[in-house]
Amino acid sequence: MQSLQGLAWLLAMQSLGELLSRGGALPFPGPVIGMLLLLLALQWSWVREPVAACARFLLSHLSLLFVPVGVGVMTHLGLLGQYGIRMLAVIVLSTWIGLIVTVLVLKALKKTDHA
Amino acid sequence: MPKFVELWVYLSATPLFGLTMTLVVYVLAQALYARLNQAAWANPVLWSVVCLASLLTLTGVDYPTYFSGAQFIHFLLGPAVVALAWPLWERRAALRLHWRALLAAAVVGGVAASGSALLLGWVFGLPQAVVLSLAPKSVTAPVAMGIADKIGGIPALAAVFAVVTGMVGALSGKVLFDFLKIPTDAHGWMARGFSMGTAAHGIGAARALQVNADAGAFAGLALGLQVVLASLLIPLIFRLF
């Protein structure tokens, strides 16, 4: 029951986020606004406990949720045949750059944090 | 035999087929991943996608038919983004303590991931719509689709790029961090996890969570921050040019 309540909170916040995003022409997608609203609401324990139960379940199976859209690769086989190697090279290189830059920035700032 | 063919034609066209196949294949891939001690190359998302795409091609079921069932799983990506408020809340003490360093790393790392993708895409001569779809590739798929739509990319392609990015991060993160001699103490796990969430979103975070609980929590934090920063910054930067 608790995780069901939690799911209701998540969906309600997402809906509110969609309303604010479309209605207020805000630069964030609906779920992002929903996340920020929920973050504010989490200070109340009667919101927090059900949300925690549902969020733990949902986030521990997060990788499953990417499968349907991943299978969508097959609908772009034309583009992939033509540019596949180059697209993959761009993705691999830029992901490495992102990983390396982030980790090195944190490593460098950690030192000044302690100084 | 004709009866079997009729049944198959019926079943493969119902939403039940896409939903069931996705769950069955993923559960098997996850079991194999556990059996192989969670080796990075055995990533369950990667192998589920490969198996399902091959299966659909072999059986002649088209993607829209498959997706009519798989959309029920896909739909949960929205609530999952909202649910990211939980890891953010959980680590609020660490966030308050290190917010300057973490925010700086999220901004600089996010700009590096997105900017290098745009630059490399342009250098490699990819079509403009493809290059624009590459911009939000380090953000979780549902948000990446929204951003791509706003800046003139192809949402479906942006989602695929985001998934591939996550897999690249999950496959190569540990090797890169070991090579850079990032330690495996408290700060090291924070840096490793945060970097995975920044550059490789949910798939990277899922991988980080399996390696170390702290790394996973900071990856979730980074993923939440990246969702906010990228939705704000990427369309803003494109509006300026």
Side-chain angles (χ1 to χ4, degrees):
Chain A
M1 190 58 208
Q2 218 183 20
S3 38
L4 212 54
Q5 267 180 42
L7 184 62
W9 273 114
L10 294 181
L11 291 175
M13 290 300 175
Q14 190 184 349
S15 307
L16 202 56
E18 291 294 354
L19 281 176
L20 287 170
S21 171
R22 313 261 151 154
L26 292 173
F28 301 116
V32 179
I33 300 175
M35 179 187 87
L36 295 173
L37 291 174
L38 182 63
L39 190 59
L40 296 175
L42 282 177
Q43 56 179 303
W44 295 297
S45 64
W46 48 275
V47 179
R48 192 160 61 235
E49 278 153 28
V51 164
C54 185
R56 273 197 208 105
F57 175 77
L58 207 54
L59 294 177
S60 65
H61 299 292
L62 191 60
S63 41
L64 163 69
L65 311 186
F66 295 100
V67 171
V69 82
V71 179
V73 174
M74 60 184 287
T75 61
H76 296 287
L77 289 180
L79 269 176
L80 286 178
Q82 203 175 352
Y83 301 108
I85 302 296
R86 279 184 273 176
M87 291 195 295
L88 190 65
V90 171
I91 292 175
V92 170
L93 291 175
S94 61
T95 306
W96 285 349
I97 292 172
L99 283 169
I100 293 170
V101 168
T102 314
V103 89
L104 290 183
V105 167
L106 272 180
K107 200 182 172 192
L109 290 180
K110 212 65 263 130
K111 276 178 196 146
T112 54
D113 245 21
H114 286 299
Chain B
M1 205 54 188
K3 199 129 191 213
F4 173 77
V5 173
E6 267 169 49
L7 279 173
W8 164 252
V9 167
Y10 164 75
L11 188 66
S12 64
T14 64
L16 184 63
F17 172 77
L19 181 59
T20 311
M21 285 325 287
T22 307
L23 274 174
V24 169
V25 168
Y26 183 78
V27 166
L28 290 175
Q30 188 71 51
L32 191 72
Y33 182 56
R35 175 66 63 88
L36 293 165
N37 287 322
Q38 307 190 335
W41 62 267
N43 189 281
V45 183
L46 174 65
W47 292 106
S48 298
V49 167
V50 170
C51 282
L52 284 164
S54 318
L55 203 70
L56 295 185
T57 310
L58 285 174
T59 55
V61 175
D62 60 6
Y63 184 71
T65 306
Y66 161 78
F67 196 76
S68 69
Q71 62 172 328
F72 299 111
I73 292 170
H74 177 74
F75 174 80
L76 291 174
L77 277 168
V81 169
V82 181
L84 287 172
W86 173 248
L88 281 172
W89 167 269
E90 232 183 351
R91 302 282 145 167
R92 66 196 180 287
L95 188 61
R96 216 168 279 147
L97 193 62
H98 302 297
W99 70 272
R100 284 180 206 85
L102 293 174
L103 190 64
V107 172
V108 176
V111 169
S114 178
S116 64
L118 286 171
L119 194 66
L120 287 165
W122 178 69
V123 169
F124 286 14
L126 294 175
Q128 195 184 359
V130 174
V131 176
L132 292 175
S133 311
L134 280 165
K137 68 177 202 44
S138 281
V139 192
T140 189
V143 179
M145 293 174 88
I147 296 175
D149 197 33
K150 270 195 180 133
I151 63 174
I154 308 164
L157 204 56
V160 170
F161 288 158
V163 172
V164 177
T165 297
M167 289 187 217
V168 170
L171 288 170
S172 57
K174 190 185 178 308
V175 179
L176 275 182
F177 299 146
D178 286 345
F179 177 75
L180 294 170
K181 298 196 167 60
I182 307 299
T184 48
D185 57 8
H187 287 311
W189 285 123
M190 180 177 92
R192 284 169 179 243
F194 197 82
S195 170
M196 285 288 259
T198 299
H201 62 90
I203 302 176
R207 168 73 187 161
L209 195 63
Q210 279 149 356
V211 177
N212 179 278
D214 270 337
F218 280 103
L221 177 71
L223 160 59
L225 269 174
Q226 209 49 236
V227 157
V228 176
L229 286 173
S231 328
L232 190 64
L233 291 180
I234 296 177
L236 189 74
I237 288 168
F238 275 88
R239 207 174 296 164
L240 294 178
F241 290 103

